[in-house]
Amino acid sequence: MKKRYIIILGAWVSWQLMTFNMFAQASDKNEKIDYTFEEIQLRAPWAVSDNVSGLAYYQFQDYASVGGFYNSESGDYRNYNSAENLFNFGVATQAYRKVKKLLFYGDFTYKYDTKKNQTWLGNYIPDFTTNPMLDSIPGKVLSESYDMSGKIAYALTNKTALGIGISYHTATMAKRTDGRNSNVYSSICIKPGVTHKTANFTTGLNFNYKYDVDRVTYDFIGDLTGKNIYYMEGLFFMAKSGITSATILKRGYFFNLLGGAFQLDYNNNNLEWFNELEMNYGKLNNYEGIFLTKKYSREELLNYHYGGSIKFLGNSSNHFIKFNLNSNERASNYIINNYEQVPGEIKSWEYYEKGSVLRYMTSIKELDAAYRFCYKKTDWKYNFNLTAGFNRMINEKTYKIFPETYNQHFNINTLYFEGRKYFYPQQKNIIELEAGVAFSKGSDEGNSLNSESSGNLGMLQLNKRLLEIDYQYRNASRTNINVGARYRHLLNPDKNYALEFCMKYHKIVAKNKQKRSFLSLSTSYVF
């Protein structure tokens, strides 16, 4: 029943936005046939910022698409919690629509995933928590998800605009082999914001709230005996317990995040310089037990983000520069519980939290800078474009169980290039060919684990095999190669209706000769 309501709501929102676009086609210009959502986001950095109110100042024509997609991946270059191979398919729609002082954006996506020989995946989102409950048995995992989001920006005056962005995601996942984990995941995010314009400068401020829930149930039907459930604590230190035909285990992960962002934008006709500084603080509480009354762990998250972009639109070429800095800190605390009688009750007992111990800390810092040169025929019609960029990621992890301390550290540097060439045969067609390559250099001579240890871990064990797989996967020097093609055919020159087909192929080749391939196919109707 819940899925039916989600599908109906998503379809209704999408249809309303599409209908708006159909009624607005009479005033559209020929340039709209060259629109893509990627290009819109490059030219309107407020579109991908946390503050949607800034969209009220742009004058793009209405634009929408609806279509389907298929993705697959396979190969031996994969992490411990990645499937041997997987594929998914689905439908997606998105649209921009402006009505006087109001700008609307909406999207809806349905996706169905099939993962084969999946192991060590206890949550719908991998690495959602540092304290998951896992199993090691390969099996088939099926999942389906629904994503929808909406943005509204309103120009209150010529200088002030208000906006709000809301996104909702829900998904289910189930494994078909014992131990069978079934997951029900949902997430909602709300971002209200305001902007004020003074001459060429626009300042903005927004608030972020996010709430995620992943409810997990492990059960055992009895296809084979001798299986275990593992309780992860970070850096692959874990405890295990056996499961039987009577085993039913439940976990609930509840994540709350609060934060905000400040924006400063300079816009002078064809030159725009956008800046955004964001900070968020979150808590993830992990509960276990049939009624989820015993707190297993608590994680605290703190992240900072700076995003900057410079856009210059020239007569014969466009130039885009993007710069991003990210800092993500996470601390995991083991909870000390005591099973006590409920005050005033004779036969009621509950777990009460008596304290916590810091066990695991992670720090991930990332820098990314890129430049794109676009040589154009007209304002939106390109001849070709070239992109070059650099990415650096710094990873630090520390696990403590008194008096032992373990840590891991590695850096990854990536240099990437991409080019696209456009062809316009018979004035009704657009053919786009793209190719790119990225070279990543890891800390090849580093150690997967550094320790100051006496070896006394109590009930905990270090899974060295998973530790090495994860370290080699994340830290491996590798080459990424991608090629792609897009074909758009204009169906109605007067209204700019078009049909589009896309294909992309991506291959990773690691230094140890492991490989993984990705294929993506999609088709859409744009208008």
Side-chain angles (χ1 to χ4, degrees), residues 391-416:
N391 181 281
R392 178 174 174 81
M393 185 174 291
I394 302 172
N395 292 265
E396 296 179 355
K397 303 177 182 180
T398 302
Y399 181 81
K400 295 183 177 181
I401 178 168
F402 185 81
E404 283 78 27
T405 300
Y406 303 82
N407 60 75
Q408 183 186 88
H409 178 273
F410 60 90
N411 303 329
I412 303 172
N413 296 312
T414 301
L415 192 63
Y416 56 91

PDB file of all heavy atoms in Angstrom, residues 391-416:
ATOM      1  N   ASN A 391      42.016  15.825  -8.095  1.00  0.00           N
ATOM      2  CA  ASN A 391      41.339  15.461  -6.860  1.00  0.00           C
ATOM      3  C   ASN A 391      42.360  14.871  -5.900  1.00  0.00           C
ATOM      4  O   ASN A 391      43.193  14.058  -6.298  1.00  0.00           O
ATOM      5  CB  ASN A 391      40.217  14.454  -7.137  1.00  0.00           C
ATOM      6  CG  ASN A 391      39.469  14.051  -5.882  1.00  0.00           C
ATOM      7  OD1 ASN A 391      39.938  13.228  -5.095  1.00  0.00           O
ATOM      8  ND2 ASN A 391      38.305  14.628  -5.688  1.00  0.00           N
ATOM      9  N   ARG A 392      42.283  15.284  -4.635  1.00  0.00           N
ATOM     10  CA  ARG A 392      43.142  14.712  -3.598  1.00  0.00           C
ATOM     11  C   ARG A 392      42.266  14.343  -2.405  1.00  0.00           C
ATOM     12  O   ARG A 392      41.463  15.145  -1.924  1.00  0.00           O
ATOM     13  CB  ARG A 392      44.214  15.697  -3.155  1.00  0.00           C
ATOM     14  CG  ARG A 392      45.107  15.163  -2.025  1.00  0.00           C
ATOM     15  CD  ARG A 392      46.245  16.120  -1.705  1.00  0.00           C
ATOM     16  NE  ARG A 392      47.033  15.706  -0.543  1.00  0.00           N
ATOM     17  CZ  ARG A 392      47.990  14.795  -0.550  1.00  0.00           C
ATOM     18  NH1 ARG A 392      48.280  14.177  -1.691  1.00  0.00           N
ATOM     19  NH2 ARG A 392      48.666  14.488   0.543  1.00  0.00           N
ATOM     20  N   MET A 393      42.428  13.092  -1.940  1.00  0.00           N
ATOM     21  CA  MET A 393      41.656  12.600  -0.803  1.00  0.00           C
ATOM     22  C   MET A 393      42.606  12.099   0.278  1.00  0.00           C
ATOM     23  O   MET A 393      43.534  11.333  -0.004  1.00  0.00           O
ATOM     24  CB  MET A 393      40.707  11.481  -1.237  1.00  0.00           C
ATOM     25  CG  MET A 393      39.784  10.987  -0.137  1.00  0.00           C
ATOM     26  SD  MET A 393      38.564   9.786  -0.743  1.00  0.00           S
ATOM     27  CE  MET A 393      37.524  10.847  -1.758  1.00  0.00           C
ATOM     28  N   ILE A 394      42.364  12.537   1.523  1.00  0.00           N
ATOM     29  CA  ILE A 394      43.180  12.158   2.677  1.00  0.00           C
ATOM     30  C   ILE A 394      42.302  11.388   3.652  1.00  0.00           C
ATOM     31  O   ILE A 394      41.267  11.904   4.102  1.00  0.00           O
ATOM     32  CB  ILE A 394      43.779  13.395   3.364  1.00  0.00           C
ATOM     33  CG1 ILE A 394      44.618  14.203   2.370  1.00  0.00           C
ATOM     34  CG2 ILE A 394      44.612  12.996   4.565  1.00  0.00           C
ATOM     35  CD1 ILE A 394      45.075  15.537   2.913  1.00  0.00           C
ATOM     36  N   ASN A 395      42.688  10.158   3.983  1.00  0.00           N
ATOM     37  CA  ASN A 395      41.904   9.289   4.867  1.00  0.00           C
ATOM     38  C   ASN A 395      42.701   8.953   6.121  1.00  0.00           C
ATOM     39  O   ASN A 395      43.842   8.501   6.044  1.00  0.00           O
ATOM     40  CB  ASN A 395      41.543   7.977   4.149  1.00  0.00           C
ATOM     41  CG  ASN A 395      40.566   8.185   3.014  1.00  0.00           C
ATOM     42  OD1 ASN A 395      39.374   8.043   3.179  1.00  0.00           O
ATOM     43  ND2 ASN A 395      41.092   8.542   1.842  1.00  0.00           N
ATOM     44  N   GLU A 396      42.073   9.137   7.279  1.00  0.00           N
ATOM     45  CA  GLU A 396      42.677   8.770   8.552  1.00  0.00           C
ATOM     46  C   GLU A 396      41.627   8.052   9.404  1.00  0.00           C
ATOM     47  O   GLU A 396      40.507   8.539   9.554  1.00  0.00           O
ATOM     48  CB  GLU A 396      43.194  10.004   9.299  1.00  0.00           C
ATOM     49  CG  GLU A 396      44.319  10.727   8.581  1.00  0.00           C
ATOM     50  CD  GLU A 396      44.794  11.954   9.347  1.00  0.00           C
ATOM     51  OE1 GLU A 396      44.174  12.271  10.391  1.00  0.00           O
ATOM     52  OE2 GLU A 396      45.762  12.592   8.908  1.00  0.00           O
ATOM     53  N   LYS A 397      42.014   6.890   9.966  1.00  0.00           N
ATOM     54  CA  LYS A 397      41.108   6.100  10.795  1.00  0.00           C
ATOM     55  C   LYS A 397      41.850   5.647  12.050  1.00  0.00           C
ATOM     56  O   LYS A 397      43.005   5.224  11.967  1.00  0.00           O
ATOM     57  CB  LYS A 397      40.588   4.878  10.039  1.00  0.00           C
ATOM     58  CG  LYS A 397      39.884   5.215   8.731  1.00  0.00           C
ATOM     59  CD  LYS A 397      39.457   3.956   7.988  1.00  0.00           C
ATOM     60  CE  LYS A 397      38.802   4.286   6.659  1.00  0.00           C
ATOM     61  NZ  LYS A 397      38.390   3.068   5.926  1.00  0.00           N
ATOM     62  N   THR A 398      41.180   5.720  13.202  1.00  0.00           N
ATOM     63  CA  THR A 398      41.784   5.311  14.467  1.00  0.00           C
ATOM     64  C   THR A 398      40.777   4.504  15.274  1.00  0.00           C
ATOM     65  O   THR A 398      39.626   4.927  15.446  1.00  0.00           O
ATOM     66  CB  THR A 398      42.228   6.533  15.295  1.00  0.00           C
ATOM     67  OG1 THR A 398      43.150   7.305  14.531  1.00  0.00           O
ATOM     68  CG2 THR A 398      42.901   6.091  16.585  1.00  0.00           C
ATOM     69  N   TYR A 399      41.228   3.342  15.762  1.00  0.00           N
ATOM     70  CA  TYR A 399      40.385   2.497  16.619  1.00  0.00           C
ATOM     71  C   TYR A 399      41.094   2.320  17.965  1.00  0.00           C
ATOM     72  O   TYR A 399      42.290   2.019  18.013  1.00  0.00           O
ATOM     73  CB  TYR A 399      40.144   1.132  15.976  1.00  0.00           C
ATOM     74  CG  TYR A 399      39.258   0.229  16.796  1.00  0.00           C
ATOM     75  CD1 TYR A 399      37.877   0.365  16.751  1.00  0.00           C
ATOM     76  CD2 TYR A 399      39.797  -0.739  17.636  1.00  0.00           C
ATOM     77  CE1 TYR A 399      37.054  -0.449  17.512  1.00  0.00           C
ATOM     78  CE2 TYR A 399      38.979  -1.556  18.399  1.00  0.00           C
ATOM     79  CZ  TYR A 399      37.610  -1.406  18.330  1.00  0.00           C
ATOM     80  OH  TYR A 399      36.809  -2.205  19.095  1.00  0.00           O
ATOM     81  N   LYS A 400      40.333   2.509  19.057  1.00  0.00           N
ATOM     82  CA  LYS A 400      40.907   2.418  20.396  1.00  0.00           C
ATOM     83  C   LYS A 400      40.108   1.441  21.252  1.00  0.00           C
ATOM     84  O   LYS A 400      38.882   1.503  21.287  1.00  0.00           O
ATOM     85  CB  LYS A 400      40.904   3.791  21.090  1.00  0.00           C
ATOM     86  CG  LYS A 400      41.800   4.823  20.435  1.00  0.00           C
ATOM     87  CD  LYS A 400      41.795   6.123  21.220  1.00  0.00           C
ATOM     88  CE  LYS A 400      42.756   7.142  20.607  1.00  0.00           C
ATOM     89  NZ  LYS A 400      42.783   8.408  21.391  1.00  0.00           N
ATOM     90  N   ILE A 401      40.810   0.544  21.892  1.00  0.00           N
ATOM     91  CA  ILE A 401      40.220  -0.282  22.947  1.00  0.00           C
ATOM     92  C   ILE A 401      41.308  -0.417  24.015  1.00  0.00           C
ATOM     93  O   ILE A 401      42.306  -1.101  23.832  1.00  0.00           O
ATOM     94  CB  ILE A 401      39.733  -1.651  22.411  1.00  0.00           C
ATOM     95  CG1 ILE A 401      39.180  -2.486  23.557  1.00  0.00           C
ATOM     96  CG2 ILE A 401      40.796  -2.371  21.618  1.00  0.00           C
ATOM     97  CD1 ILE A 401      38.425  -3.729  23.095  1.00  0.00           C
ATOM     98  N   PHE A 402      41.137   0.328  25.069  1.00  0.00           N
ATOM     99  CA  PHE A 402      42.192   0.546  26.067  1.00  0.00           C
ATOM    100  C   PHE A 402      42.854  -0.763  26.494  1.00  0.00           C
ATOM    101  O   PHE A 402      42.169  -1.740  26.785  1.00  0.00           O
ATOM    102  CB  PHE A 402      41.592   1.244  27.297  1.00  0.00           C
ATOM    103  CG  PHE A 402      42.621   1.614  28.329  1.00  0.00           C
ATOM    104  CD1 PHE A 402      43.378   2.762  28.179  1.00  0.00           C
ATOM    105  CD2 PHE A 402      42.853   0.800  29.427  1.00  0.00           C
ATOM    106  CE1 PHE A 402      44.329   3.101  29.117  1.00  0.00           C
ATOM    107  CE2 PHE A 402      43.804   1.127  30.371  1.00  0.00           C
ATOM    108  CZ  PHE A 402      44.550   2.290  30.205  1.00  0.00           C
ATOM    109  N   PRO A 403      44.200  -0.824  26.491  1.00  0.00           N
ATOM    110  CA  PRO A 403      45.145   0.261  26.194  1.00  0.00           C
ATOM    111  C   PRO A 403      45.661   0.268  24.754  1.00  0.00           C
ATOM    112  O   PRO A 403      46.646   0.928  24.461  1.00  0.00           O
ATOM    113  CB  PRO A 403      46.278  -0.035  27.174  1.00  0.00           C
ATOM    114  CG  PRO A 403      46.330  -1.532  27.176  1.00  0.00           C
ATOM    115  CD  PRO A 403      44.897  -1.999  27.044  1.00  0.00           C
ATOM    116  N   GLU A 404      44.998  -0.484  23.833  1.00  0.00           N
ATOM    117  CA  GLU A 404      45.500  -0.608  22.473  1.00  0.00           C
ATOM    118  C   GLU A 404      44.999   0.532  21.586  1.00  0.00           C
ATOM    119  O   GLU A 404      43.897   1.048  21.777  1.00  0.00           O
ATOM    120  CB  GLU A 404      45.074  -1.941  21.857  1.00  0.00           C
ATOM    121  CG  GLU A 404      45.871  -3.138  22.319  1.00  0.00           C
ATOM    122  CD  GLU A 404      45.456  -3.627  23.694  1.00  0.00           C
ATOM    123  OE1 GLU A 404      44.291  -3.422  24.061  1.00  0.00           O
ATOM    124  OE2 GLU A 404      46.296  -4.188  24.401  1.00  0.00           O
ATOM    125  N   THR A 405      45.813   0.893  20.591  1.00  0.00           N
ATOM    126  CA  THR A 405      45.435   1.894  19.598  1.00  0.00           C
ATOM    127  C   THR A 405      45.862   1.395  18.221  1.00  0.00           C
ATOM    128  O   THR A 405      46.997   0.956  18.038  1.00  0.00           O
ATOM    129  CB  THR A 405      46.094   3.248  19.880  1.00  0.00           C
ATOM    130  OG1 THR A 405      45.691   3.716  21.169  1.00  0.00           O
ATOM    131  CG2 THR A 405      45.692   4.279  18.829  1.00  0.00           C
ATOM    132  N   TYR A 406      44.951   1.469  17.259  1.00  0.00           N
ATOM    133  CA  TYR A 406      45.224   1.045  15.888  1.00  0.00           C
ATOM    134  C   TYR A 406      44.859   2.208  14.969  1.00  0.00           C
ATOM    135  O   TYR A 406      43.874   2.922  15.209  1.00  0.00           O
ATOM    136  CB  TYR A 406      44.385  -0.179  15.506  1.00  0.00           C
ATOM    137  CG  TYR A 406      44.581  -1.371  16.418  1.00  0.00           C
ATOM    138  CD1 TYR A 406      43.898  -1.460  17.625  1.00  0.00           C
ATOM    139  CD2 TYR A 406      45.438  -2.411  16.059  1.00  0.00           C
ATOM    140  CE1 TYR A 406      44.077  -2.556  18.468  1.00  0.00           C
ATOM    141  CE2 TYR A 406      45.610  -3.505  16.880  1.00  0.00           C
ATOM    142  CZ  TYR A 406      44.932  -3.569  18.090  1.00  0.00           C
ATOM    143  OH  TYR A 406      45.099  -4.649  18.909  1.00  0.00           O
ATOM    144  N   ASN A 407      45.610   2.379  13.894  1.00  0.00           N
ATOM    145  CA  ASN A 407      45.285   3.457  12.967  1.00  0.00           C
ATOM    146  C   ASN A 407      45.651   3.079  11.540  1.00  0.00           C
ATOM    147  O   ASN A 407      46.473   2.183  11.294  1.00  0.00           O
ATOM    148  CB  ASN A 407      45.963   4.772  13.374  1.00  0.00           C
ATOM    149  CG  ASN A 407      47.473   4.662  13.411  1.00  0.00           C
ATOM    150  OD1 ASN A 407      48.121   4.637  12.368  1.00  0.00           O
ATOM    151  ND2 ASN A 407      48.038   4.572  14.613  1.00  0.00           N
ATOM    152  N   GLN A 408      45.005   3.794  10.623  1.00  0.00           N
ATOM    153  CA  GLN A 408      45.229   3.587   9.189  1.00  0.00           C
ATOM    154  C   GLN A 408      45.245   4.953   8.517  1.00  0.00           C
ATOM    155  O   GLN A 408      44.435   5.825   8.856  1.00  0.00           O
ATOM    156  CB  GLN A 408      44.114   2.720   8.603  1.00  0.00           C
ATOM    157  CG  GLN A 408      44.279   2.367   7.136  1.00  0.00           C
ATOM    158  CD  GLN A 408      43.073   1.627   6.601  1.00  0.00           C
ATOM    159  OE1 GLN A 408      42.117   2.253   6.143  1.00  0.00           O
ATOM    160  NE2 GLN A 408      43.107   0.297   6.651  1.00  0.00           N
ATOM    161  N   HIS A 409      46.145   5.126   7.583  1.00  0.00           N
ATOM    162  CA  HIS A 409      46.271   6.419   6.906  1.00  0.00           C
ATOM    163  C   HIS A 409      46.684   6.192   5.462  1.00  0.00           C
ATOM    164  O   HIS A 409      47.607   5.428   5.184  1.00  0.00           O
ATOM    165  CB  HIS A 409      47.302   7.301   7.624  1.00  0.00           C
ATOM    166  CG  HIS A 409      47.522   8.632   6.950  1.00  0.00           C
ATOM    167  ND1 HIS A 409      48.427   8.812   5.932  1.00  0.00           N
ATOM    168  CD2 HIS A 409      46.933   9.841   7.148  1.00  0.00           C
ATOM    169  CE1 HIS A 409      48.396  10.073   5.529  1.00  0.00           C
ATOM    170  NE2 HIS A 409      47.506  10.716   6.249  1.00  0.00           N
ATOM    171  N   PHE A 410      45.992   6.845   4.529  1.00  0.00           N
ATOM    172  CA  PHE A 410      46.413   6.793   3.129  1.00  0.00           C
ATOM    173  C   PHE A 410      45.857   8.000   2.381  1.00  0.00           C
ATOM    174  O   PHE A 410      44.833   8.585   2.757  1.00  0.00           O
ATOM    175  CB  PHE A 410      45.992   5.485   2.449  1.00  0.00           C
ATOM    176  CG  PHE A 410      44.517   5.230   2.427  1.00  0.00           C
ATOM    177  CD1 PHE A 410      43.731   5.671   1.380  1.00  0.00           C
ATOM    178  CD2 PHE A 410      43.914   4.518   3.463  1.00  0.00           C
ATOM    179  CE1 PHE A 410      42.366   5.420   1.359  1.00  0.00           C
ATOM    180  CE2 PHE A 410      42.544   4.266   3.452  1.00  0.00           C
ATOM    181  CZ  PHE A 410      41.774   4.715   2.395  1.00  0.00           C
ATOM    182  N   ASN A 411      46.558   8.373   1.310  1.00  0.00           N
ATOM    183  CA  ASN A 411      46.164   9.489   0.446  1.00  0.00           C
ATOM    184  C   ASN A 411      45.997   8.982  -0.979  1.00  0.00           C
ATOM    185  O   ASN A 411      46.695   8.071  -1.420  1.00  0.00           O
ATOM    186  CB  ASN A 411      47.220  10.599   0.456  1.00  0.00           C
ATOM    187  CG  ASN A 411      47.494  11.126   1.853  1.00  0.00           C
ATOM    188  OD1 ASN A 411      46.609  11.128   2.697  1.00  0.00           O
ATOM    189  ND2 ASN A 411      48.717  11.569   2.085  1.00  0.00           N
ATOM    190  N   ILE A 412      45.087   9.605  -1.707  1.00  0.00           N
ATOM    191  CA  ILE A 412      44.869   9.268  -3.114  1.00  0.00           C
ATOM    192  C   ILE A 412      44.850  10.553  -3.927  1.00  0.00           C
ATOM    193  O   ILE A 412      44.093  11.481  -3.611  1.00  0.00           O
ATOM    194  CB  ILE A 412      43.541   8.502  -3.312  1.00  0.00           C
ATOM    195  CG1 ILE A 412      43.510   7.234  -2.462  1.00  0.00           C
ATOM    196  CG2 ILE A 412      43.352   8.145  -4.782  1.00  0.00           C
ATOM    197  CD1 ILE A 412      42.177   6.556  -2.454  1.00  0.00           C
ATOM    198  N   ASN A 413      45.665  10.614  -4.961  1.00  0.00           N
ATOM    199  CA  ASN A 413      45.705  11.757  -5.875  1.00  0.00           C
ATOM    200  C   ASN A 413      45.213  11.306  -7.247  1.00  0.00           C
ATOM    201  O   ASN A 413      45.645  10.276  -7.758  1.00  0.00           O
ATOM    202  CB  ASN A 413      47.120  12.316  -5.991  1.00  0.00           C
ATOM    203  CG  ASN A 413      47.626  12.872  -4.671  1.00  0.00           C
ATOM    204  OD1 ASN A 413      46.934  13.631  -4.011  1.00  0.00           O
ATOM    205  ND2 ASN A 413      48.830  12.479  -4.279  1.00  0.00           N
ATOM    206  N   THR A 414      44.298  12.085  -7.829  1.00  0.00           N
ATOM    207  CA  THR A 414      43.708  11.729  -9.117  1.00  0.00           C
ATOM    208  C   THR A 414      43.791  12.907 -10.075  1.00  0.00           C
ATOM    209  O   THR A 414      43.426  14.033  -9.722  1.00  0.00           O
ATOM    210  CB  THR A 414      42.236  11.306  -8.952  1.00  0.00           C
ATOM    211  OG1 THR A 414      42.154  10.191  -8.065  1.00  0.00           O
ATOM    212  CG2 THR A 414      41.629  10.917 -10.294  1.00  0.00           C
ATOM    213  N   LEU A 415      44.243  12.634 -11.276  1.00  0.00           N
ATOM    214  CA  LEU A 415      44.269  13.610 -12.355  1.00  0.00           C
ATOM    215  C   LEU A 415      43.332  13.097 -13.452  1.00  0.00           C
ATOM    216  O   LEU A 415      43.449  11.953 -13.875  1.00  0.00           O
ATOM    217  CB  LEU A 415      45.693  13.752 -12.892  1.00  0.00           C
ATOM    218  CG  LEU A 415      45.994  14.923 -13.836  1.00  0.00           C
ATOM    219  CD1 LEU A 415      45.793  16.252 -13.116  1.00  0.00           C
ATOM    220  CD2 LEU A 415      47.418  14.810 -14.370  1.00  0.00           C
ATOM    221  N   TYR A 416      42.387  13.947 -13.884  1.00  0.00           N
ATOM    222  CA  TYR A 416      41.401  13.462 -14.855  1.00  0.00           C
ATOM    223  C   TYR A 416      41.207  14.456 -15.998  1.00  0.00           C
ATOM    224  O   TYR A 416      41.371  15.665 -15.849  1.00  0.00           O
ATOM    225  CB  TYR A 416      40.069  13.144 -14.174  1.00  0.00           C
ATOM    226  CG  TYR A 416      39.443  14.275 -13.380  1.00  0.00           C
ATOM    227  CD1 TYR A 416      38.536  15.158 -13.966  1.00  0.00           C
ATOM    228  CD2 TYR A 416      39.739  14.444 -12.022  1.00  0.00           C
ATOM    229  CE1 TYR A 416      37.948  16.169 -13.238  1.00  0.00           C
ATOM    230  CE2 TYR A 416      39.156  15.452 -11.282  1.00  0.00           C
ATOM    231  CZ  TYR A 416      38.266  16.312 -11.889  1.00  0.00           C
ATOM    232  OH  TYR A 416      37.684  17.335 -11.153  1.00  0.00           O
TER     233      TYR A 416
END
